Structure formats: C-alpha cells, structure tokens
Amino acid sequence: DFKGEAPLLIKIAAGLTTGALGIMVASPTDLVKVRMQSEGKLAPGVPRKYPSALAAYGIIGGGRGRAVERRWAQHCAQRLDQCRGAGLL
C-alpha cells in the first residue's frame, strides 16, 4: 500500500523495463516485416522463403534466432546510451 510519488530510481527502473519489453516485441516484428518486404521484390516464379508472417517468425526464430538476439541487444544498448546521455544513469 504505497502512497505518494514513486522514487526516481523506481521510475527509471520501470521505464527501462517497459522499454526492454517493447523492444522484445517490436524488434522481431520489424525483422519479419523487413524480410517479407524484401521477398516482395523477387521475380515472379521465384519460391518464397516465408509463406506467411507467422511462418516467418518460426523460420527466423528457429533457424536464425541469432539475428533476432543480436538486433535486440543492439536496441537495448542504444536505449542505455540514451539514458546515459540524458544523465539518468
């Protein structure tokens, strides 16, 4: 039963947590979008690697999960740098 305003450290931790969770959802989604858009430029008759968006998640996450992990880590590092630059850390 907390009353009053939350301490600054709690607010920063909450912001970092929600940012990380947002990146965990948005980064793989963006990767799937970019990969599927690049397939749209293939010549007619060339077989598609991703039959649907859901299949793309499975294929990318299953065989090439490292790409998703690397991209997620880059996004987290960028957000931490922004916090440091703003003097929050």
Side-chain angles (χ1 to χ4, degrees):
D1 296 337
F2 185 79
K3 292 185 180 181
E5 191 170 326
L8 181 61
L9 212 51
I10 298 296
K11 290 179 181 180
I12 291 171
L16 289 172
T17 302
T18 56
L21 290 173
I23 290 168
M24 288 174 66
V25 172
S27 184
T29 302
D30 186 52
L31 182 62
V32 166
K33 177 193 71 134
V34 168
R35 297 262 177 105
M36 291 192 75
Q37 283 176 338
S38 68
E39 277 202 343
K41 297 176 184 177
L42 293 175
V46 176
R48 305 285 187 232
K49 190 172 184 178
Y50 310 112
S52 69
L54 288 176
Y57 278 104
I59 293 168
I60 292 169
R64 303 189 68 161
R66 294 268 184 226
V68 174
E69 292 169 9
R70 191 171 344 133
R71 195 168 169 125
W72 181 81
Q74 289 171 348
H75 281 285
C76 286
Q78 289 171 353
R79 297 306 159 256
L80 282 173
D81 286 343
Q82 287 176 347
C83 287
R84 281 190 201 109
L88 297 174
L89 295 176

